[in-house]
Every structure is written in structure tokens, then in C-alpha cells.
Amino acid sequence: QAPVRIARGGTVAWKVNLRSRASPLLGSTVQAWAMASEQAQKLNRNAEVLSSPAVTMLLSQIRAKSTTQKDYVNAADRLMGILAEEGLARLATPMTVVTPCGTCSGLEAPLGSSLCAVDIIRSGGILLEAVRKVCPDLKTAKVLIQRDEKTALPQFFYKKLPNGIDKKKIILCDPMLASGGSALMAIDCLKEAGVVEDNILFLNVVSCPEGLRALAEKAPGVRILTAALDEKLDEHKFIVPGLGDFGDRYYGTAGYDEGLWGSDGK
């Protein structure tokens, strides 16, 4: 059976029917989705974990150490497309659809003119471009925040925000939510420009408990849509099991020649 649409505080959420018999092979995966969503809600009431066989399949490919850059980019782009569509759907409004044969309940997509997608450079741009592909008339913004490799603390370098951003719904894009430091710094940058937390939807691929707790404490109004909730951060502040460095694997800047992850053999 398909996921069921439910209303929650004026927003749209979904739940999976755990009794579905569509594929016995998906039984344990569906149970894992339910557990991840329940745990995420305990850590941050505004967090939601996507539950989809397609998401699990693509995540499995980009997590795998053996995945080559070509296959990584292909799977990552496909996953970003799903996240982009799901993110926009969370900003949709209920409507009645008139079909050639009658009427039914539906969702009306948000106007591009009402949105601004913000990416935390560099990897956030990958997700931002996926959002722009499905909603080309939205505004975009850039924030450059880099983590100090010695202290693991975020450092702010640059921002470029459009005029009137305080009146927009914000889609904040960054594939990884680790300690939450970079996301919180970007959120503070947006709040300084007049954006309210309730108007921010944070899209990411992999999150962890530490990051969800940090946002719950310091930015409780921000909604979070993630494709996965992982176990923890290690002593170097990397997500476990994670997927390595998202940007390095996507752009090929490091790791392949060093044997950290799959090589195309070139």
C-alpha cells in the first residue's frame, strides 16, 4: 500500500503502512524507516526522515566505499532530485483538483516567486541546483561557511542574499548535518536578514542525533527534512556510518587516488 497523507499543524506529512505486503524483502527496511522517524521526532519535533525504497537504494550506493565517482554523481543527483521534490511538497498547500471525471484532494505547489533556496557552499550547491531544476524561478542565495579542520568549529566567510529574502519561504540546502554548527551559523545569517525560523525548511541527505539536538535547542522553529538519520559523530566529528566527504566524492577533489573510496581506474 502507498504511504498515507496526514495533516500536521497545517503542513503535509506522510506515514507508511507497516502491514504492506507489496514486497516481503522491504519488511526490515520499512521497520527501519519507522524507527528512524520516531527517533528523529524525539530528538527534534520538527525533523522528518524520508521513507522510500528509492531513497534507501540511492543512499546505499553513495554510502558504499566501493562506489566510483561516476556512479556516485549519478546516484547523488537522482537522490537530490527526490529531496528537492519532497522539500517543495512540504511547502505545498491543500487544494481540490478538478479532473475530467470529477474532483479529488491534492496539493498545490508553492509559487517560485515565494521561495528562496540557500546553499551552504560547496556541497549545498549540488542540492540547490536540484531545487532550481524543478522550480527555476525561485530566488537563490549563497553562504560560505567552512569548518576549521583543527577545531571542527565553523567559520563564516561570505554571504550573498537577494533583496526581500525576509518575505520568502527558505529552503536551506546542505547534504550533511553533523554537529549543526554550519547550519546554525547559516540560520543566524538568515535571521539577521529578517527571516523567521518558521519560514525555513532545511534539506539534507544524512543527519545525526547531535545535529538534530543542536537545531532543536538553538533553532527550534526550523523544519528539517533528511534522507537518513545516522548513529553518531566520531571523535573527528564525522558522521558514522555516514558516507565520507560528500563534496570530495562528488567533485573528485580528494579521496579516490588515496584509496579512501572507489576509483574509476583512471
Side-chain angles (χ1 to χ4, degrees):
Q1 297 178 19
V4 179
R5 177 180 174 275
I6 57 175
R8 181 181 297 161
T11 63
V12 177
W14 301 86
K15 65 179 180 179
V16 177
N17 186 342
L18 296 180
R19 297 181 179 179
S20 172
R21 297 183 179 179
S23 172
L25 296 176
L26 292 178
S28 60
T29 303
V30 171
Q31 189 121 27
W33 295 334
M35 291 175 63
S37 294
E38 183 178 352
Q39 184 184 1
Q41 285 282 301
K42 290 179 179 178
L43 295 165
N44 189 312
R45 64 181 180 85
N46 277 330
E48 180 185 356
V49 182
L50 279 179
S51 52
S52 157
V55 168
T56 301
M57 177 186 69
L58 294 168
L59 262 174
S60 298
Q61 191 164 7
I62 66 173
R63 284 187 188 275
K65 182 179 179 179
S66 60
T67 300
T68 65
Q69 184 182 0
K70 177 182 177 182
D71 290 339
Y72 187 94
V73 171
N74 179 269
D77 283 345
R78 290 162 62 192
L79 180 57
M80 296 300 168
I82 294 173
L83 262 175
E85 295 284 9
E86 293 286 355
L88 288 173
R90 291 335 184 254
L91 301 177
T93 53
M95 65 175 294
T96 297
V97 181
V98 179
T99 79
C101 303
T103 62
C104 65
S105 297
L107 293 173
E108 184 173 11
L111 294 174
S113 59
S114 69
L115 305 174
C116 179
V118 182
D119 79 86
I120 301 175
I121 303 170
R122 136 188 94 150
S123 296
I126 304 166
L127 184 47
L128 179 141
E129 288 305 318
V131 177
R132 287 187 68 235
K133 186 174 181 179
V134 296
C135 190
D137 60 333
L138 55 66
K139 299 293 186 279
T140 59
K142 299 281 184 180
V143 181
L144 177 57
I145 299 168
Q146 293 186 328
R147 186 172 76 164
D148 187 296
E149 295 302 326
K150 294 182 180 179
T151 65
L153 296 175
Q155 295 179 304
F156 177 85
F157 288 96
Y158 170 83
K159 65 179 179 181
K160 183 65 174 179
L161 310 179
N163 294 330
I165 192 171
D166 57 311
K167 299 178 178 64
K168 307 290 185 184
K169 295 283 187 180
I170 306 298
I171 302 174
L172 180 61
C173 303
D174 194 21
M176 309 298 283
L177 173 59
S179 67
S182 296
L184 286 168
M185 189 169 282
I187 291 167
D188 284 342
C189 175
L190 293 169
K191 289 165 69 174
E192 289 171 4
V195 176
V196 297
E197 288 183 6
D198 289 351
N199 283 342
I200 301 175
L201 173 64
F202 180 30
L203 294 185
N204 69 83
V205 176
V206 178
S207 62
C208 69
E210 292 87 341
L212 291 182
R213 286 194 201 100
L215 265 68
E217 178 184 350
K218 298 178 180 178
V222 173
R223 286 185 288 166
I224 303 163
L225 181 62
T226 183
L229 174 57
D230 277 12
E231 180 184 345
K232 62 180 181 179
L233 293 178
D234 66 13
E235 64 274 17
H236 303 294
K237 304 298 182 183
F238 284 102
I239 298 175
V240 177
L243 48 78
D245 189 294
F246 191 98
D248 284 347
R249 295 192 71 176
Y250 188 94
Y251 291 114
T253 46
Y256 292 102
D257 292 340
E258 296 82 354
L260 297 178
W261 33 74
S263 169
D264 290 317
K266 298 177 182 178

